[in-house]
Amino acid sequence: MTYLIYRCDCGRVLYSKEGSKTKKCTCGKTLNVRKRRILKIAETADLATRAVQDMQEEIYGGTVFKTADQL
């Protein structure tokens, strides 16, 4: 299973499984995945998650993602 990584119009980076038709962003917009420009492709969900986090940190600078047990 491959995962597609793309951006919402609000700027947030998202991913979804290849073959998905739509995805709802946290901003509330429903995106047609097939019409989005694909920025990266990842082979696993873990790689897709890491790629999204890296891209968000690059865009917004210095944002550090932590899990609840790291707080």
Side-chain angles (χ1 to χ4, degrees), residues 29-40:
K29 183 171 180 138
T30 301
L31 304 169
N32 184 339
V33 175
R34 295 177 183 187
K35 293 185 178 181
R36 303 309 296 181
R37 185 171 55 121
I38 304 306
L39 303 175
K40 290 185 180 181

Side-chain angles (χ1 to χ4, degrees), residues 1 9 15-18 20-21 23 34-35 39 44-46 54 56-57 59 61 63-64 68:
M1 176 71 50
D9 297 336
Y15 74 90
S16 59
K17 290 180 184 178
E18 186 176 30
S20 296
K21 293 181 182 179
K23 173 84 173 195
R34 295 177 183 187
K35 293 185 178 181
L39 303 175
T44 66
D46 290 335
D54 291 342
Q56 286 287 108
E57 287 178 5
I59 293 167
T63 306
V64 179

Side-chain angles (χ1 to χ4, degrees), residues 5-28:
I5 301 167
Y6 50 92
R7 288 182 73 179
C8 176
D9 297 336
C10 73
R12 182 174 299 275
V13 181
L14 305 166
Y15 74 90
S16 59
K17 290 180 184 178
E18 186 176 30
S20 296
K21 293 181 182 179
T22 61
K23 173 84 173 195
K24 185 147 186 147
C25 181
T26 56
C27 73

